[in-house]
Amino acid sequence: ALFSAGGSSVDDEALANLQAGGHDPSRNGFTVQNVEMFIGGAVDHYLDGQANLVFLIDRNGETVVELEEAFLTTRALPYGLQVKAGQYFTEFGRQNSQHPHTWAFVDQPVILSRFFGGDGLRSQGARLAWLAPLPWYSEFYLGSPNAKGETVTSFLSVPGETVGSYTLIDRGGIRKVADLLWSARWLNGVDISDTLSANLGVSALDGPNATATDTNTRIYGVDLYLKWRPLVNQRGFPYVAWHTEWLTRNYATPDGALKNSGGFTQVLWGFTPQWVAGLRLEYADGKGDDGTDPLRDQRKRTAPNLTFYPTEFSKIRLQS
């Protein structure tokens, strides 16, 4: 469970645009960000199952219940292969597939809220993963989820909503392969030294959008994660972790294309057991019709924080 309390120099209406993540603290006072129940285990010798049920209270005080994830994964396919099928977060970048309780900051990065919506990019579908037989960790992902729904905002999304100056139409159901959203990711991990490790990933998405009957969206991303930890440490402390992601989107329309890009970089310093200091810098470019469009104006955001972990089961975080 995640609960927060805070205040801002702007009112709740302005906060709703500035804090666009579905689990962000988005009003002055108290917020129930997320209460999540995880169910998982082995189904049989061939499959594992997982489900994540989420409860939260929205800005209007209404209780929301949703099935965030529910999927099966294979356990023992040959040649390093694995299949996942069901409702799941798409493997794009490092943070999109993380659940809020694992975030290093209290809110979702701006660029992810803009490209993937308040609840992150997730849908119903299937994906194939292949762990390549290489001297280092190298895994490929190829997926094909549905492109329609409120959690695929850069694609077919929900008819009647607006993107820029366009009102989204209903393109109907899936009739051909091009009506699906296609996702790809390549993730590599190496130990640079005995104390330094790195993960580097590249991701891509291609699918239809609903500004017309033949328009599509493409999103590309690159992510880097570095972690340093000395050989002599106490319960994993001290450490320094650096996480950076950059994304770019080409959203085709009948009159051309809406192009946006942005990213974030964040550093965590676990300077002593139970204490972690963090700093996140964010940027999202502004190419909207005017500066009042909260989803397409230029944004820069800096967020320092300090987290205390009384035990491995709880945390107290202060963030500006």
Side-chain angles (χ1 to χ4, degrees), residues 87-216:
Q87 161 92 353
Y88 58 89
F89 280 107
T90 300
E91 286 101 346
F92 186 103
R94 184 178 180 87
Q95 175 143 338
N96 180 68
S97 57
Q98 295 178 355
H99 291 256
H101 67 274
T102 67
W103 293 353
F105 291 79
V106 301
D107 45 10
Q108 182 171 262
V110 170
I111 197 65
L112 298 187
S113 297
R114 292 188 175 189
F115 286 11
F116 300 150
D119 291 316
L121 177 61
R122 55 188 171 88
S123 189
Q124 310 83 43
R127 72 103 172 103
L128 176 69
W130 176 50
L131 183 60
L134 295 173
W136 69 94
Y137 171 80
S138 183
E139 192 161 15
F140 296 84
Y141 301 86
L142 179 64
S144 184
N146 289 336
K148 191 174 183 178
E150 62 181 359
T151 56
V152 281
T153 58
S154 286
F155 300 93
L156 293 181
S157 191
V158 178
E161 294 190 350
T162 59
V163 174
S165 58
Y166 299 93
T167 300
L168 302 185
I169 65 173
D170 187 352
R171 289 181 51 164
I174 299 172
R175 297 182 298 275
K176 54 185 183 297
V177 171
D179 293 329
L180 292 168
L181 167 61
W182 291 92
S183 66
R185 176 164 170 77
W186 182 25
L187 177 62
N188 293 273
V190 295
D191 290 327
I192 299 174
S193 70
D194 291 338
T195 59
L196 182 64
S197 60
N199 284 344
L200 176 64
V202 291
S203 306
L205 297 165
D206 187 3
N209 71 51
T211 58
T213 58
D214 58 353
T215 51
N216 76 320

Side-chain angles (χ1 to χ4, degrees), residues 243-312:
H243 173 198
T244 297
E245 296 193 31
W246 185 263
L247 298 83
T248 183
R249 176 177 64 177
N250 188 311
Y251 190 96
T253 72
D255 303 315
L258 305 176
K259 297 182 179 181
N260 298 87
S261 60
F264 63 93
T265 185
Q266 60 191 42
V267 176
L268 301 177
W269 175 31
F271 55 91
T272 191
Q274 299 179 286
W275 289 92
V276 179
L279 177 65
R280 184 178 65 191
L281 307 177
E282 301 185 61
Y283 173 79
D285 68 8
K287 295 183 179 179
D289 296 333
D290 57 61
T292 63
D293 186 342
L295 296 179
R296 301 192 63 239
D297 62 348
Q298 187 179 88
R299 285 285 305 278
K300 297 178 181 179
R301 187 166 70 173
T302 302
N305 74 10
L306 180 66
T307 306
F308 172 59
Y309 295 87
T311 69
E312 61 181 304

